C-alpha cells in the first residue's frame, strides 16, 4: 500500500472515530412537532394560520432547535389524543407538551428535565374565607377543575379520594362557576389561569394562593418510531432543557404569550379566508 493510500485510510479511520455530531445533526435537519391545540399560554392553534401551533412551548422549542441547527415545524394534529397518536406512529416526531405517563414509555422517550413546569394553584374569589396552605385544607370544600387539566398521577389519585371536585369542559366554565358561587375554589395553572382570567375580564375578581398544589412537568417526548430519535438529539435536548431554567427565557416566553392570547381574545372573529366577498 503506497503512502498516499495509507494516509487516505488513516483519514477515513479518524473520521469514523470522531464524535457523531455532524453525522447525527445531518441525519435529521427538521423536526415535525405537535401538542395540545387548546392550552394557552403554553400551546394553542394559531387563529391566523390554523395548521400551526403557537405559544410559550413553541417559542422555547424553536429557540432550542435554532441553537442545535435544527428546523422545527409545530403543526396542529387535532385534539390532544390525536396528536399523541400521530407521534406514537412516527408520522410526527415529537410532542412539545407531554405529561409524564408511565404507560407511554414503550412509545416515547421523555426528555428530562421538562421544558416547562406547570404550577397548579388554588384560585378563589376575592373576599373568600377559604384558608389554604396544603392540599388537605381543601377537604370538605367544593372545587372546580377543567377536564383538560393534566395533574401528576399522585395528585390525581389524592384528588379522587380526598377532594370534592366538579369537572367542567374548560377553564372558562370553571371560573364562571367560581364567580357564581357554585364552587369555592378552582384548581388551575398559574399561567393558564392568568390568561383565562384576563381574557374573561375576571382578573380583578379572582386571586390565587401562591403555594402550588401540584407541579406537573410538560415534557418534550420523542417517538420511538421517529427517524430523528437518536442519542445525539436526545442528549442535546436534555442539555438544553437543563440550561433553560436559569436563562430567563421561560418566564419571558410565558408573559409574552399571555399578552398574545389576551390580545387575540379581544379581536373580533375573522371570517374564513375562503368566504365570498359580498
Amino acid at each position: 500500500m503506497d503512502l498516499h493510500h495509507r494516509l487516505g485510510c488513516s483519514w477515513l479511520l479518524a473520521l469514523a472515530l470522531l464524535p457523531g455530531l455532524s453525522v447525527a445533526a445531518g441525519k435529521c435537519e427538521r423536526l415535525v412537532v405537535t401538542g395540545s391545540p387548546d392550552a394557552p399560554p403554553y400551546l394553542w392553534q394559531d387563529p391566523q394560520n390554523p395548521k400551526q401551533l403557537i405559544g410559550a412551548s413553541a417559542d422555547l422549542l424553536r429557540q432550542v432547535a435554532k441553537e442545535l441547527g435544527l428546523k422545527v415545524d409545530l403543526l396542529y394534529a387535532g385534539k390532544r389524543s390525536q396528536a399523541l397518536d400521530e407521534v406514537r406512529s412516527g408520522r410526527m416526531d415529537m410532542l412539545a407538551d407531554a405529561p409524564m405517563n408511565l404507560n407511554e414509555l414503550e412509545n416515547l422517550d421523555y426528555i428530562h428535565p421538562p421544558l416547562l413546569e406547570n404550577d397548579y394553584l388554588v384560585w378563589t374569589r376575592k373576599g373568600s374565607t377559604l384558608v389554604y396552605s396544603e392540599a388537605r385544607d381543601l377537604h370538605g370544600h367544593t372545587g372546580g377543575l377543567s377536564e383538560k387539566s393534566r395533574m401528576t398521577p399522585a395528585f390525581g389519585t389524592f384528588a379522587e379520594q380526598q377532594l370534592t371536585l366538579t369537572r367542567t369542559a374548560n377553564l372558562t366554565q370553571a371560573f364562571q362557576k367560581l364567580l357564581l358561587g357554585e364552587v369555592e375554589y378552582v384548581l388551575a395553572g398559574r399561567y393558564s389561569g392568568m390568561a383565562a382570567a384576563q381574557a374573561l375580564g375576571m382578573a380583578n375578581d379572582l386571586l390565587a394562593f401562591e403555594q402550588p398544589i401540584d407541579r406537573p412537568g410538560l415534557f418534550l417526548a420523542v417517538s420511538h418510531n421517529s427517524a430523528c430519535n437518536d442519542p445525539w438529539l436526545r442528549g442535546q435536548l436534555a442539555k438544553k432543557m437543563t440550561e433553560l431554567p436559569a436563562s430567563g427565557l421561560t418566564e419571558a416566553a410565558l408573559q409574552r404569550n399571555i399578552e398574545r392570547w389576551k390580545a387575540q381574545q379581544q379581536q373580533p372573529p375573522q371570517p374564513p379566508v375562503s368566504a365570498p366577498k359580498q
Side-chain angles (χ1 to χ4, degrees):
M1 186 185 290
D2 63 27
L3 179 63
H4 182 75
H5 194 186
R6 271 207 312 278
L7 284 172
C9 288
S10 304
W11 181 76
L12 283 173
L13 181 63
L15 260 187
L17 294 174
L18 275 172
L21 180 69
S22 57
V23 179
K27 174 183 159 191
C28 177
E29 292 172 356
R30 183 180 295 275
L31 284 169
V32 180
V33 184
T34 189
S36 304
D38 53 2
Y42 298 100
L43 272 185
W44 72 96
Q45 211 173 348
D46 185 351
Q48 303 299 320
N49 184 358
K51 291 181 179 177
Q52 302 283 332
L53 295 177
I54 56 175
S57 299
D59 290 355
L60 291 170
L61 181 55
R62 281 206 175 90
Q63 176 66 31
V64 164
K66 184 180 173 185
E67 291 170 13
L68 296 180
L70 300 170
K71 290 191 176 78
V72 168
D73 289 327
L74 268 140
L75 302 180
Y76 170 71
K79 59 187 181 184
R80 193 181 292 157
S81 57
Q82 293 168 312
L84 176 59
D85 283 343
E86 289 297 301
V87 174
R88 272 191 193 130
S89 69
R91 287 189 293 272
M92 290 185 168
D93 300 304
M94 184 194 292
L95 283 168
D97 63 340
M100 177 51 72
N101 182 341
L102 297 180
N103 296 330
E104 291 300 333
L105 288 174
E106 58 194 45
N107 303 306
L108 306 171
D109 283 320
Y110 289 83
I111 306 299
H112 292 267
L115 178 64
L116 289 155
E117 283 187 317
N118 191 0
D119 288 357
Y120 270 82
L121 306 181
V122 177
W123 293 73
T124 60
R125 294 184 303 283
K126 279 197 177 158
S128 165
T129 56
L130 183 74
V131 176
Y132 161 79
S133 60
E134 57 182 342
R136 61 184 177 191
D137 293 338
L138 301 177
H139 192 73
H141 297 277
T142 307
L145 180 68
S146 164
E147 285 178 351
K148 294 176 181 175
S149 297
R150 292 174 290 173
M151 320 294 273
T152 58
F155 182 82
T157 302
F158 167 82
E160 207 170 290
Q161 294 172 353
Q162 302 290 330
L163 301 182
T164 309
L165 288 172
T166 301
R167 294 186 183 269
T168 59
N170 52 49
L171 187 49
T172 300
Q173 288 183 14
F175 276 167
Q176 285 167 341
K177 279 184 174 294
L178 180 58
L179 282 183
L180 290 168
E182 294 174 15
V183 296
E184 294 175 75
Y185 66 89
V186 165
L187 302 182
R190 180 188 302 278
Y191 294 101
S192 51
M194 214 183 283
Q198 289 187 8
L200 293 164
M202 296 179 182
N204 294 326
D205 304 311
L206 302 176
L207 60 83
F209 289 97
E210 190 53 35
Q211 178 62 32
I213 195 165
D214 194 27
R215 187 175 245 182
L218 299 175
F219 292 86
L220 299 178
V222 192
S223 173
H224 287 181
N225 291 318
S226 164
C228 291
N229 188 343
D230 64 23
W232 178 85
L233 178 71
R234 294 195 305 272
Q236 291 297 310
L237 287 174
K239 184 170 178 284
K240 292 295 181 188
M241 293 306 100
T242 306
E243 293 166 0
L244 259 184
S247 68
L249 291 171
T250 304
E251 185 72 24
L254 286 162
Q255 294 296 344
R256 186 171 63 246
N257 281 283
I258 285 174
E259 292 305 315
R260 191 181 190 182
W261 167 253
K262 185 180 165 186
Q264 286 177 0
Q265 300 315 295
Q266 291 166 350
Q267 289 170 357
Q270 299 295 312
V273 177
S274 57
K277 290 185 171 62
Q278 299 300 318

